[in-house]
Amino acid sequence: MDKNNFKLEEAYGDVNLSMLADFTLTNGISGHEREIAEVYRNWTEDAADDISYDNLGSIIAHKEGVANGPKIMFAGHIDEIGFLVKSIDANGFIRLHPVGGWWPHVLLSQPVTVTTRKGAAYVGVIGSKAPHGMPVAVRNKVMELKDLYVDMGVNSKEELEYLGVQVGDAITPKADFHVLANPNYLMSKAWDNRIGAAISAEVIRQLKEEKTDAHIYSVGTVQEEVGLRGAKTAAQKINPDIAVTIDTTIAQDTPGEDNRIKLGVGVTLEVMDASYIGHKGLLYYLQDLSDELGIDYQFELLAAGGTDSGEIHKVHDGVITLSISIPTRYIHSHYGIIHRKDYVDTVKLLTEFSKRVNASVLEDLQNYKR
């Protein structure tokens, strides 16, 4: 390599980093999404004709189409994984109740934020033992979640109670937003699935000055990590004709992996996962549209795990549904990494798709399996 002529990649596309940081750094575990829903509203209300909520708290930003035009639902869940305060011992140490799937191995010595009923936020750290003199068998064992605790830097249970901390309060991973050495790589907490929510929001923002036949519903769904709950109620409220769920998927481009799903390809079309099988007509339409627009893509198939598509596609008499994935390294931890190209290209594809869907396109998709 000629170091004199070597240059790092330039940042790909137009990305509002302030928006992405706002989405990722806002706390909002499943069942506690009020604050992140407000962020979603702040970034979409100028582009939407109206904003509403379902009774679980999912936020729906709607852009009007023509009378009786097709209804497209873009869904990105706004909840992140975290914990609830399970108990507080006499010395003020907090035990954890998981909200979403955690591997305890990634938690030791990581900071968290405990948020009280009144909205006060206090920082603590998940305790870990020093390795000095630790038996090999203990050192090599992944601790169980029941053995972990949060150290809040207090002397007693009474101090925490005075601060307003109680059983059931939300405990959220605490992290910072980073643009890495190559500016296309972005690192933060909660990419799962604030990146999908940001894409859903950005599509309607891109359509602000456009007239579309289709009604566009940009939806930030709640409680996905604990059972795809908000997707079901939001879809029942909207009754969409077409739905695209945007969520993360596991990047497999790190050491020891098979390099099948990589960061920075462009669009990742999910053929199926454990919760649904993608509508083939919609899959092929978006594949062909990607080819037309010069957007690179890869295909994802998951044997385990699901997305909001798992509930949306079963609503009423069935919804034409597909998931689009954003490959992410180290999901379900304090820090994940995504690539700008995947974000930019996905927004570009879905924005153009929104412009093209009309009654004829919907009819073709509806007739695909008949």
Side-chain angles (χ1 to χ4, degrees):
M1 180 182 70
D2 183 355
K3 291 185 178 181
N4 293 324
N5 294 318
F6 183 82
K7 293 182 179 180
L8 284 175
E9 294 178 357
E10 294 183 359
Y12 183 90
D14 184 14
V15 176
N16 189 326
L17 294 177
S18 294
M19 175 179 164
L20 293 187
D22 202 10
F23 269 72
T24 59
L25 298 183
T26 300
N27 292 334
I29 69 170
S30 306
H32 297 73
E33 299 99 341
R34 180 183 296 180
E35 187 177 354
I36 182 59
E38 187 65 22
V39 169
Y40 197 97
R41 182 184 186 112
N42 291 341
W43 285 101
T44 57
E45 59 186 352
D46 286 346
D49 292 307
D50 59 88
I51 291 181
S52 62
Y53 299 82
D54 69 15
N55 288 330
L56 287 188
S58 296
I59 181 170
I60 303 167
H62 171 221
K63 176 180 172 61
E64 290 278 357
V66 301
N68 300 315
K71 294 190 288 186
I72 305 175
M73 176 181 180
F74 295 115
H77 73 84
I78 56 176
D79 59 315
E80 63 182 303
I81 62 170
F83 307 92
L84 298 177
V85 174
K86 183 176 182 179
S87 64
I88 307 171
D89 72 14
N91 295 316
F93 294 106
I94 294 173
R95 295 292 179 173
L96 302 161
H97 181 85
V99 178
W102 281 102
W103 185 34
H105 196 80
V106 304
L107 289 169
L108 298 177
S109 295
Q110 294 292 337
V112 293
T113 301
V114 178
T115 305
T116 70
R117 174 181 174 178
K118 293 185 177 181
Y122 300 102
V123 175
V125 65
I126 297 176
S128 64
K129 296 180 180 179
H132 305 75
M134 185 181 291
V136 173
V138 175
R139 187 168 63 245
N140 292 339
K141 180 183 178 182
V142 177
M143 293 185 67
E144 295 183 51
L145 191 59
K146 66 180 180 62
D147 296 322
L148 300 184
Y149 59 87
V150 177
D151 185 340
M152 297 296 294
V154 297
N155 292 319
S156 65
K157 179 179 182 179
E158 287 74 20
E159 285 190 13
L160 285 185
E161 290 176 338
Y162 175 80
L163 295 173
V165 177
Q166 65 182 24
V167 170
D169 284 346
I171 303 174
T172 314
K174 181 175 174 55
D176 299 310
F177 186 94
H178 298 276
V179 177
L180 299 181
N182 179 324
N184 287 303
Y185 291 84
L186 307 176
M187 184 170 73
S188 190
K189 76 173 181 69
W191 287 126
D192 183 12
N193 180 38
R194 302 292 170 66
I195 188 59
I199 289 170
S200 177
E202 185 59 25
V203 169
I204 199 171
R205 283 162 48 84
Q206 292 287 323
L207 295 169
K208 180 179 179 180
E209 305 300 331
E210 302 286 340
K211 293 187 180 297
T212 60
D213 278 16
H215 293 267
I216 308 301
Y217 294 87
S218 171
V219 185
T221 62
V222 300
Q223 297 190 40
E224 189 271 352
E225 295 289 358
V226 292
L228 319 180
R229 297 169 186 173
K232 183 174 184 177
T233 52
Q236 287 174 332
K237 181 179 176 70
I238 296 167
N239 192 16
D241 298 299
I242 300 169
V244 178
T245 293
I246 310 104
D247 207 333
T248 58
T249 193
I250 300 169
Q252 297 171 318
D253 56 358
T254 53
E257 300 289 347
D258 61 12
N259 211 38
R260 184 174 60 86
I261 299 297
K262 298 180 286 187
L263 269 65
V265 169
V267 170
T268 301
L269 301 168
E270 188 183 90
V271 178
M272 68 171 291
D273 60 35
S275 67
Y276 95 119
I277 298 173
H279 187 279
K280 285 296 190 293
L282 181 54
L283 175 70
Y284 298 149
Y285 187 98
L286 290 175
Q287 179 185 7
D288 292 345
L289 183 55
S290 296
D291 286 332
E292 180 184 336
L293 298 175
I295 294 174
D296 298 321
Y297 53 86
Q298 59 189 339
F299 295 106
E300 171 70 303
L301 296 94
L302 290 173
T307 64
D308 278 341
S309 291
E311 286 296 337
I312 294 173
H313 82 286
K314 297 183 290 186
V315 164
H316 297 296
D317 59 345
V319 179
I320 295 167
T321 305
L322 190 76
S323 287
I324 288 184
S325 302
I326 302 299
T328 308
R329 295 175 183 166
Y330 324 124
I331 61 173
H332 285 221
S333 71
H334 274 64
Y335 280 104
I337 297 176
I338 65 163
H339 195 284
R340 286 173 61 120
K341 187 176 191 297
D342 301 326
Y343 173 83
V344 171
D345 286 358
T346 301
V347 169
K348 180 179 179 181
L349 176 65
L350 296 182
T351 301
E352 183 62 27
F353 174 67
S354 300
K355 297 176 184 178
R356 297 196 183 195
V357 171
N358 54 27
S360 177
V361 171
L362 175 60
E363 183 178 9
D364 288 345
L365 292 175
Q366 290 172 329
N367 290 333
Y368 180 81
K369 293 188 176 182
R370 296 175 185 168

